[in-house]
Amino acid sequence: MDESNPPNPPPKKGYFYGKRKRSRSHSRQVKKGLGNQKQQSQQPEPAPPSTSDEQVPPSEPIPIKSVSYSNTTKKQYADMLASCQLELNDALQEIKKKDKLIEKLNNKLNRLSSATELARDKAREAKVYAKTVEQDSKKTTKKLKEEVAKAEKKLAQSQVIIDAEVDRVRTIEVGRRERAARVITQQMEKKLKRERMQIQSEMKAKELEYQAALKDKDSHLKIVKNIADARLDVTASLHSENIQLKKSHSLALDQKDILHRQAMTEQRKKAASIIESKDLKLRQQKQDIDAYQDFAFDVAVESQEISKDAAKTKKDSLKKVAAAEATATKRLHKFKDASEEIQSLKEELEAARDEMHVTIEAAHVEIRKLREQLERKQEEADEFEAMAHLAGKELENFRYVKVTKTGKPKTWGPVVTQLVVEMLANGTPPSAISANILSVCKLLIPDAPIIDELPSIRFVRSCRTVLLHLAKTLAAYEIASQEVFQQLFTDGTTRRQTEFQNVIIGVLTPAGYRRVALDGCILSEEHNAESVTTSILVAFQRSGKLLDLWRSVTVELYPDRQDLLDRIPPSSELTLAKMAKGFTMTDTCNTARRIQHLLHEEIKKICKEKGMSDEDIELHKSFCWQHLRNVWFGAVELALNNTLLNQLEESMSAIPSIYRVNMDIVNLYRAAEKMVGGTANYEKGDGKNFVHFKNEFHPTTFLYPLVRACGGTRQDLCVEGAPSILMNLPMYLQFLHWRMDACGTSGDGILATNLYLNFKSSEVIAQLRVLSILHIAICMPVRWLAGKTESLLDYDFGYYDMGKALDIMESAFMEIIDDPGKFLDEDFMMGLFSEISDKVDPFKAYLEYMFEEKLGNVVENTKSEDDKVLPYDLIRAAVFYPDRDDIRKTDDLCRELAVTAASAFLIEFRDERKATAQYLSSIGGENSLAVISESKRKAGLGKESSNSTSESLHGTVTHLMKVSGTIRLDHAAGDGMLQTNGHVDRNVSQYIKKNRNDKSDEDEAPSLFFQLPEELRITAMIAAKRGAPTLRKEHDVALKLQKEADLRRKRVEHQKNLENAKEEYIKAWDLIDIYHSERGWKKLSQAMRVFNGISSEPTRLKAVKEQITIRVKGFGWKEAAHAWSKGGTAYDSLELMKHFVDVILPMEAKLGIPSEPDFKLQDNTTKYAL
């Protein structure tokens, strides 16, 4: 191909791939192991009244075989009883000690109450004192106001006298007196100035003393607060002493109590002395205030005298009055501030009192907790004493439940059976269960002789059937308890040459939408839709019988407990009539669609039997959108492969076939995984050296992980695996060159050469680029939407709204065909589903997270942000704005391949034989948004759009069959059902914390089995043991019927082959007879004469075909065969005649004419032999 291409348009301004600003913060916590695991003590469960497999009347006790113990065993039990008695005595002593401690705590509480009362008295005294100070301040302020008023009045009188004196002075010797008055006035001014300064200094000193007094009040309040803090410290000390008391039970508590009383006594003495000293200071301050009031009165008197002496200085007297008014106002403000401070002090006292109440209440709560702990200890002692009585024969009753009349060994009871079942459900191999039980008991209860015998491997393996029975019973219980079934999922597969089906019911519970596997292994006799449908209906009936068995066992063991029986729904509640308005989900193959149709017919029939009308029945057929998506990409992969094969046919023919170079992209992924993948178990692979090579020569380059191509065949693998190969390709080429050339490695060069030739090809790079764009722009969004529709109810997006995504893709691919350049336009391709993302916020958040926030480590286990990149952001940059020459050179070819891919998509969308066409609006699909009603669209809200749960159940069964090897098919299905449903999970995650602050799972509800009352758990386990043989037999019979049907079908095929052979043998004799008649062409001259004598082309063609058929079917010469047409064009008579002359007549001369047909039955075995 021509590698020259126009330059690629530059990236958008402001867009930096791989280094976008992250819009959200990430919590990347380092996993630190298991951490501290919570432990819960479990008491042994008492044996039920009757747990035998046979019906035993309630009036007759269950026979228990007498057990003969050796002297050693009796001594052990005697020692155990003695130790139990000693421990009981110790517990009683502890209880007496704790009673004494409670008495001491009560005494402390009384002392604390008295101290509290003392504090309250002090607070009341402080309140009274503050009130007195406030009253005194008000009185002082009032007196000052009165004195000021008197001073003003006297000043006014003085003013009158001064005015009269001035008039008199003016009339008598004005000049002389004015001079004398000036002298006197100057002297008086000096005197007044000195006195005013003295008064100001004295006032300032008094103010300082008053402020000091106020500070003393603050210190007094602080002392009161210190007393409250001391009470808090006492309470905290009491709490710590109580904790220490519970741990040590020693005399240290009394010593701390003595020290505490001494500290409290000293604190009270100190507080009393401080309060007394402060009271003295406050009394002294009161006296000072009285003196200050007297001083103010003296000042007023002196002011009156001064005003008389200054009769001639009216102006100066007025200034003095103004100064006096300012001083009074200032003092008034100071008294107001003092009042406000007193109010704040009162509020602080109230707060201290409230805090003291809280402290006392906390002390009471702590004492109640201690009493509750003592009561629990007493209960534990009682339980321990009860456990002692389980020794001897009662321990036998705990472990065993019956003895047969023939003297056969006893069977294990429901407790041990449940223990084994839970360990099997947790994935423990049967051979390790008994050893694990022994290890746990010896480690957790080392001194208790509770292990006398352990379950055998035979019993453990038989418990797998019990597990299957329990899984089916619990599934039937949860499904039958629901009023309405939302969805029915079913899918089939083949394992160990056995075809089986599963059925899963989707229900809406208070906890949300749940999928419950009813049966994971449904065997049908025939491999057709009718037989599978019948088997599914039978599975519902058999699950209902399991509920009836559970009810009968419950009635037998607890005949007077109607409340227990009411909790188990009857078999009539497990009916498909609850699917009247539900959705059935299958994949898109013809058999699955036929099963879906038949199921709808049967459901309608059951609903009508229940009395429902046609208006009450509204069934919906739904198909898995993950299957639909895979079908699209499978077609696209094939179209791209064929296009490139046609272009490279000549160059590929020049490459030796030993290197196995082709355009199958999935084979390229498998080869890459074998060669450089770290997980491929391939002997000639070199993944370990590649990792070393990458760390050595490309330490700062992000290595994209390869998809698992060697272990799967899903069709979207073609797009999912493309980005990692495309992004890692430069490192792969360098490594292959280094390995093949520089290192001189030989002996395994076929795989390396295959990869090197593919990675150097521009056509392969273009194919990888196109598939990478399809992955990030189409596959990822559609896969997320298909897997999340059940949780998008709040966003008005459901099952039928997936048709919106289909319509968007159809419109986009039509635009790409018209303008191929749009396929390389990031805004166009990455914004295809913007209409949906603007409406569905979680979908928008998912896209933003994947392309703008999800980080990948360049260096493993790094914590630095500098060593992290945005992997999908880098992929977008590489495919839309490439900076590598090998990618930039593929622009033209990518546009061509884009048209091919878009055409393949449109062909798949519009093929009315396939399920996708039902959802396409442009062709009026029956389930498209353009056709369905709004009510039907809303019926799809909250429903799943994929059959992933059924696929996952099959995957779990496959995994168990690989791990366990010889496990039965139904047993593997039972384990898979428990893992899918989670009915016996003990919520282990709540005991395993990632860190100390991890509390995410503490409130998670227990699983279904542990939500049941203990009596129902026991009866469920007993019912499982009783019904296990029947369940095992039913599976074996169904498996036998299926195998017999397979054998029958093969016999029918064999008989049909025999009948066909007889007909062919007769036809061969007829053809030999024709050869020996005049119609047979025996020589060349005869053949040419007859052929040339026929003028009609159809007649000549018929004659030549007859002669060739005589040799092929009559003589049995397969080498003489010739096709009648090629590529839709029929061969004419001349071409067939040439074959007759050149091939058949020489073969006839060589082999001779057979006297009878050389005919044998069809033999499909190989023609080769050793």
Side-chain angles (χ1 to χ4, degrees):
M1 288 183 60
D2 185 11
E3 301 295 344
S4 63
N5 288 289
N8 201 63
K12 296 181 180 181
K13 185 177 180 180
Y15 195 90
F16 299 94
Y17 285 92
K19 298 183 180 179
R20 289 183 176 175
K21 185 178 181 181
R22 304 181 186 100
S23 60
R24 296 190 180 95
S25 62
H26 296 271
S27 174
R28 294 176 292 275
Q29 300 176 350
V30 180
K31 296 181 179 179
K32 297 181 180 179
L34 294 178
N36 296 328
Q37 187 175 5
K38 300 180 181 178
Q39 298 181 358
Q40 296 180 348
S41 60
Q42 299 181 352
Q43 300 297 334
E45 303 178 8
S50 174
T51 53
S52 64
D53 290 346
E54 299 177 358
Q55 186 78 14
V56 179
S59 59
E60 297 181 4
I62 300 173
I64 299 177
K65 183 178 179 180
S66 60
V67 182
S68 60
Y69 298 99
S70 62
N71 293 331
T72 303
T73 304
K74 293 180 179 178
K75 185 178 181 181
Q76 289 178 352
Y77 283 123
D79 293 342
M80 186 182 69
L81 289 172
S83 63
C84 292
Q85 186 63 38
L86 291 175
E87 291 181 1
L88 183 60
N89 294 334
D90 293 339
L92 293 174
Q93 293 295 329
E94 291 294 330
I95 291 171
K96 291 180 180 178
K97 290 181 180 179
K98 289 177 180 178
D99 289 336
K100 293 180 180 179
L101 292 176
I102 290 175
E103 185 178 358
K104 291 181 180 179
L105 290 175
N106 290 330
N107 294 333
K108 287 186 178 182
L109 182 60
N110 295 331
R111 290 195 297 270
L112 184 61
S113 300
S114 62
T116 303
E117 289 296 331
L118 180 62
R120 288 177 180 173
D121 294 339
K122 294 296 181 181
R124 283 194 293 270
E125 292 176 1
K127 186 176 181 181
V128 171
Y129 173 74
K131 188 174 182 179
T132 304
V133 170
E134 184 179 4
Q135 293 175 354
D136 293 342
S137 299
K138 289 180 179 180
K139 291 179 180 179
T140 303
T141 303
K142 185 177 180 181
K143 287 181 179 180
L144 284 174
K145 289 182 179 180
E146 293 175 354
E147 293 296 333
V148 169
K150 291 179 180 180
E152 289 177 351
K153 186 176 180 181
K154 290 181 179 180
L155 285 173
Q157 295 175 357
S158 300
Q159 183 65 38
V160 174
I161 296 172
I162 289 171
D163 292 339
E165 186 67 20
V166 169
D167 293 336
R168 189 177 63 84
V169 169
R170 284 178 180 175
T171 58
I172 303 170
E173 300 180 352
V174 176
R176 184 177 62 82
R177 289 187 180 275
E178 286 180 353
R179 289 192 298 271
R182 275 197 300 271
V183 172
I184 294 172
T185 300
Q186 291 176 357
Q187 292 177 356
M188 290 298 295
E189 285 178 353
K190 291 180 181 179
K191 184 178 179 181
L192 287 172
K193 186 175 181 180
R194 288 194 301 270
E195 290 177 352
R196 186 164 53 250
M197 293 177 62
Q198 184 177 0
I199 290 170
Q200 289 178 354
S201 61
E202 289 177 356
M203 290 288 290
K204 188 173 183 180
K206 292 296 182 180
E207 289 175 358
L208 293 175
E209 290 178 0
Y210 185 76
Q211 291 177 358
L214 292 178
K215 290 181 180 180
D216 290 338
K217 296 176 192 176
D218 294 339
S219 61
H220 171 68
L221 294 176
K222 290 181 181 179
I223 292 171
V224 175
K225 187 177 180 181
N226 290 336
I227 294 173
D229 293 338
R231 301 296 182 271
L232 292 174
D233 295 337
V234 169
T235 304
S237 175
L238 181 61
H239 178 66
S240 61
E241 288 172 3
N242 291 336
I243 295 175
Q244 188 65 26
L245 182 62
K246 288 186 289 185
K247 293 181 180 178
S248 61
H249 303 293
S250 64
L251 296 176
L253 181 63
D254 295 332
Q255 295 176 359
K256 286 186 178 181
D257 189 30
I258 294 171
L259 294 175
H260 171 67
R261 287 198 299 271
Q262 293 175 354
M264 286 295 297
T265 303
E266 292 175 359
Q267 191 68 257
R268 284 196 296 272
K269 288 180 180 180
K270 184 177 179 180
S273 62
I274 291 172
I275 291 172
E276 184 177 359
S277 63
K278 294 304 176 183
D279 288 338
L280 292 174
K281 287 183 179 181
L282 289 173
R283 287 194 293 272
Q284 184 65 35
Q285 291 299 324
K286 185 177 180 182
Q287 294 175 0
D288 293 339
I289 290 172
D290 295 335
Y292 180 76
Q293 293 174 352
D294 296 336
F295 173 75
F297 180 76
D298 294 336
V299 169
V301 174
E302 291 177 0
S303 298
Q304 183 179 4
E305 294 175 355
I306 291 170
S307 62
K308 290 179 180 181
D309 296 336
K312 297 181 180 180
T313 56
K314 179 180 180 179
K315 186 176 179 180
D316 295 336
S317 298
L318 293 174
K319 291 182 180 179
K320 181 179 178 182
V321 171
E325 289 178 352
T327 303
T329 303
K330 186 176 180 181
R331 291 173 182 172
L332 182 61
H333 289 319
K334 288 183 178 179
F335 279 112
K336 288 181 179 179
D337 294 339
S339 299
E340 292 176 356
E341 290 187 8
I342 290 171
Q343 183 64 29
S344 64
L345 292 174
K346 289 168 63 178
E347 294 176 355
E348 290 179 1
L349 286 173
E350 291 293 332
R353 184 179 62 184
D354 295 340
E355 190 174 0
M356 182 65 69
H357 282 300
V358 172
T359 303
I360 294 171
E361 290 295 330
H364 284 296
V365 171
E366 188 65 27
I367 291 172
R368 283 196 297 270
K369 288 182 179 179
L370 291 174
R371 288 176 178 172
E372 292 175 357
Q373 290 178 2
L374 289 175
E375 291 175 357
R376 285 198 296 270
K377 290 293 183 181
Q378 179 64 38
E379 292 176 358
E380 292 177 3
D382 295 339
E383 292 176 358
F384 192 79
E385 184 179 3
M387 288 176 60
H389 292 292
L390 292 176
K393 294 183 179 180
E394 293 194 5
L395 280 177
E396 290 293 319
N397 291 337
F398 172 74
R399 293 178 293 181
Y400 301 106
V401 296
K402 76 170 186 178
V403 174
T404 59
K405 295 181 179 179
T406 57
K408 292 182 179 180
K410 304 172 183 179
T411 61
W412 294 99
V415 176
V416 176
T417 305
Q418 179 181 339
L419 176 61
V420 174
V421 167
E422 285 194 44
M423 297 184 76
L424 288 173
N426 293 334
T428 307
S431 58
I433 285 181
S434 295
N436 288 349
I437 294 174
L438 181 61
S439 298
V440 171
C441 292
K442 290 298 183 182
L443 286 173
L444 299 183
I445 319 174
D447 298 329
I450 63 173
I451 298 295
D452 184 56
E453 183 181 352
L454 289 170
S456 64
I457 187 66
R458 179 184 178 87
F459 172 77
V460 172
R461 285 174 177 161
S462 67
C463 284
R464 283 199 181 274
T465 311
V466 178
L467 182 149
L468 173 63
H469 195 289
L470 181 65
K472 288 188 174 183
T473 303
L474 294 176
Y477 171 83
E478 183 174 7
I479 294 172
S481 300
Q482 305 300 320
E483 295 295 331
V484 177
F485 299 164
Q486 300 291 328
Q487 286 182 276
L488 184 149
F489 307 87
T490 182
D491 188 53
T493 189
T494 301
R495 296 290 182 271
R496 295 178 182 168
Q497 302 85 45
T498 302
E499 293 187 10
F500 61 96
Q501 200 87 4
N502 63 29
V503 171
I504 298 175
I505 302 297
V507 295
L508 194 60
T509 67
Y513 188 87
R514 266 186 57 80
R515 310 158 194 87
V516 184
L518 178 70
D519 200 333
C521 182
I522 301 175
L523 299 177
S524 59
E525 184 174 355
E526 299 287 346
H527 304 318
N528 52 49
E530 290 75 10
S531 181
V532 171
T533 304
T534 303
S535 300
I536 292 175
L537 298 177
V538 171
F540 273 86
Q541 296 173 1
R542 289 178 175 175
S543 296
K545 292 180 180 178
L546 300 182
L547 293 176
D548 291 338
L549 176 60
W550 189 8
R551 289 172 62 88
S552 65
V553 173
T554 304
V555 171
E556 175 187 340
L557 296 182
Y558 304 99
D560 299 330
R561 294 292 301 276
Q562 184 64 31
D563 59 321
L564 297 178
L565 192 63
D566 292 340
R567 297 193 61 162
I568 306 175
S571 58
S572 59
E573 292 296 321
L574 189 63
T575 172
L576 283 172
K578 296 181 179 181
M579 274 288 298
K581 294 188 177 182
F583 282 64
T584 55
M585 172 73 70
T586 63
D587 56 27
T588 59
C589 68
N590 292 331
T591 303
R593 296 170 73 171
R594 176 65 177 167
I595 292 172
Q596 189 180 60
H597 174 74
L598 294 175
L599 275 175
H600 276 225
E601 296 297 326
E602 293 295 335
I603 293 173
K604 290 178 181 178
K605 187 185 301 183
I606 295 172
C607 291
K608 290 182 178 179
E609 291 176 355
K610 293 288 184 178
M612 296 184 184
S613 62
D614 293 336
E615 290 76 12
D616 298 331
I617 304 172
E618 187 182 350
L619 289 169
H620 299 264
K621 292 182 180 179
S622 59
F623 299 105
C624 176
W625 275 84
Q626 306 291 17
H627 282 82
L628 296 178
R629 177 177 55 84
N630 280 327
V631 171
W632 309 336
F633 287 116
V636 171
E637 176 191 3
L638 183 61
L640 294 177
N641 186 20
N642 292 335
T643 300
L644 293 177
L645 282 176
N646 293 333
Q647 292 184 4
L648 301 175
E649 183 176 2
E650 183 177 353
S651 60
M652 289 184 65
S653 62
I655 301 175
S657 60
I658 190 175
Y659 294 122
R660 304 165 191 170
V661 177
N662 54 49
M663 289 294 105
D664 190 339
I665 197 67
V666 176
N667 283 341
L668 178 64
Y669 300 160
R670 293 192 179 106
E673 185 180 3
K674 289 180 179 180
M675 187 67 195
V676 295
T679 58
N681 188 18
Y682 186 66
E683 182 180 0
K684 296 182 180 180
D686 211 2
K688 180 177 66 176
N689 287 332
F690 172 72
V691 173
H692 174 74
F693 173 87
K694 185 266 176 188
N695 294 334
E696 181 71 20
F697 299 105
H698 301 277
T700 60
T701 303
F702 181 76
L703 179 64
Y704 285 79
L706 295 174
V707 297
R708 186 173 58 89
C710 293
T713 58
R714 62 191 188 280
Q715 291 164 307
D716 64 347
L717 184 65
C718 64
V719 293
E720 189 175 356
S724 57
I725 299 292
L726 181 66
M727 300 300 289
N728 297 338
L729 194 141
M731 285 190 291
Y732 290 160
L733 282 174
Q734 293 181 21
F735 173 73
L736 292 172
H737 181 271
W738 170 76
R739 189 177 186 277
M740 296 167 58
D741 189 10
C743 296
T745 304
S746 62
D748 57 349
I750 295 177
L751 180 60
T753 304
N754 174 283
L755 289 173
Y756 191 81
L757 292 174
N758 277 289
F759 291 160
K760 291 288 288 184
S761 170
S762 297
E763 289 76 11
V764 172
I765 296 174
Q767 188 180 15
L768 290 172
R769 184 181 181 186
V770 169
L771 293 174
S772 298
I773 293 175
L774 292 176
H775 177 61
I776 62 176
I778 303 294
C779 181
M780 290 175 60
V782 174
R783 180 168 59 188
W784 189 92
L785 288 172
K788 294 291 184 178
T789 52
E790 74 278 6
S791 60
L792 302 179
L793 175 63
D794 295 337
Y795 302 93
D796 196 34
F797 191 92
Y799 175 80
Y800 290 112
D801 293 294
M802 288 298 298
K804 180 66 176 178
L806 190 64
D807 294 338
I808 290 173
M809 288 187 288
E810 182 194 32
S811 176
F813 291 135
M814 290 176 65
E815 292 186 39
I816 290 172
I817 292 176
D818 295 336
D819 183 7
K822 288 189 174 182
F823 188 78
L824 299 180
D825 184 355
E826 182 197 21
D827 288 341
F828 179 79
M829 292 301 296
M830 301 307 296
L832 289 181
F833 301 101
S834 59
E835 183 178 351
I836 299 177
S837 63
D838 292 341
K839 173 184 175 182
V840 182
D841 293 339
F843 180 46
K844 184 177 182 180
Y846 162 76
L847 295 178
E848 290 178 352
Y849 171 74
M850 293 300 295
F851 294 107
E852 298 179 13
E853 298 178 17
K854 186 177 181 180
L855 298 174
N857 294 336
V858 175
V859 182
E860 293 183 0
N861 300 324
T862 183
K863 296 182 180 179
S864 174
E865 292 289 337
D866 297 334
D867 294 332
K868 298 181 182 295
V869 297
L870 300 170
Y872 282 97
D873 192 57
L874 294 177
I875 294 173
R876 288 178 65 171
V879 296
F880 291 115
Y881 305 100
D883 56 359
R884 282 167 39 191
D885 291 338
D886 58 340
I887 299 179
R888 282 204 303 267
K889 293 176 182 179
T890 62
D891 285 354
D892 291 340
L893 183 54
C894 283
R895 295 186 185 97
E896 180 182 350
L897 294 178
V899 174
T900 302
S903 301
F905 273 113
L906 292 177
I907 292 172
E908 286 295 316
F909 291 170
R910 297 169 178 174
D911 188 350
E912 296 184 359
R913 298 172 300 173
K914 298 184 179 180
T916 304
Q918 297 183 12
Y919 304 92
L920 194 63
S921 297
S922 62
I923 61 174
E926 59 179 307
N927 290 324
S928 64
L929 292 177
V931 174
I932 64 174
S933 63
E934 180 65 14
S935 60
K936 185 174 182 180
R937 187 193 71 83
K938 289 187 176 181
L941 297 177
K943 303 299 188 299
E944 284 196 81
S945 297
S946 70
N947 205 16
S948 301
T949 306
S950 294
E951 299 285 353
S952 176
L953 180 54
H954 284 323
T956 305
V957 172
T958 303
H959 172 73
L960 290 169
M961 294 175 71
K962 288 181 179 179
V963 172
S964 301
T966 58
I967 189 173
R968 285 166 54 98
L969 184 60
D970 55 340
H971 290 169
D975 285 359
M977 288 175 61
L978 282 183
Q979 292 184 26
T980 300
N981 299 337
H983 283 157
V984 295
D985 293 344
R986 286 190 178 269
N987 193 13
V988 179
S989 59
Q990 69 176 336
Y991 304 104
I992 303 174
K993 302 298 181 184
K994 296 180 181 178
N995 52 58
R996 295 180 180 178
N997 298 324
D998 185 9
K999 299 180 180 180
S1000 56
D1001 296 324
E1002 287 187 355
D1003 297 332
E1004 185 174 341
S1007 60
L1008 174 64
F1009 184 69
F1010 300 105
Q1011 291 179 10
L1012 298 173
E1014 182 181 0
E1015 295 85 354
L1016 286 184
R1017 293 202 298 270
I1018 293 174
T1019 57
M1021 195 61 63
I1022 295 173
K1025 290 192 67 177
R1026 291 186 184 180
T1030 303
L1031 199 63
R1032 185 185 185 100
K1033 184 177 180 181
E1034 288 177 351
H1035 175 79
D1036 293 340
V1037 170
L1039 185 62
K1040 182 180 179 181
L1041 291 175
Q1042 187 180 97
K1043 298 303 180 184
E1044 290 177 351
D1046 290 341
L1047 183 59
R1048 235 181 1 257
R1049 187 169 57 255
K1050 292 183 181 300
R1051 288 174 179 172
V1052 170
E1053 292 175 357
H1054 180 69
Q1055 186 66 27
K1056 187 176 180 180
N1057 289 335
L1058 288 177
E1059 293 175 358
N1060 292 336
K1062 290 179 180 178
E1063 293 179 0
E1064 291 178 3
Y1065 187 71
I1066 295 172
K1067 290 179 180 179
W1069 270 111
D1070 293 339
L1071 292 172
I1072 291 178
D1073 292 340
I1074 293 174
Y1075 175 80
H1076 290 288
S1077 67
E1078 295 180 355
R1079 289 168 56 186
W1081 297 354
K1082 303 175 182 60
K1083 296 181 179 179
L1084 178 59
S1085 58
Q1086 180 188 4
M1088 295 303 298
R1089 185 178 68 250
V1090 175
F1091 182 78
N1092 293 330
I1094 302 174
S1095 59
S1096 173
E1097 172 62 21
T1099 306
R1100 282 193 297 182
L1101 186 62
K1102 182 179 179 181
V1104 177
K1105 286 184 177 180
E1106 183 182 50
Q1107 298 303 315
I1108 296 175
T1109 303
I1110 290 172
R1111 274 72 177 179
V1112 174
K1113 294 187 176 181
F1115 297 172
W1117 296 348
K1118 303 299 182 182
E1119 297 81 358
H1122 190 284
W1124 303 142
S1125 63
K1126 181 179 181 181
T1129 303
Y1131 289 105
D1132 57 16
S1133 59
L1134 291 175
E1135 290 174 325
L1136 295 179
M1137 186 62 182
K1138 185 176 183 298
H1139 174 75
F1140 178 79
V1141 173
D1142 295 341
V1143 177
I1144 293 179
L1145 289 180
M1147 186 183 296
E1148 189 174 296
K1150 181 180 179 181
L1151 298 177
I1153 306 302
S1155 59
E1156 60 182 12
D1158 184 13
F1159 184 82
K1160 294 184 292 186
L1161 289 176
Q1162 185 177 1
D1163 186 5
N1164 293 324
T1165 58
T1166 180
K1167 62 182 179 180
Y1168 305 105
L1170 293 174

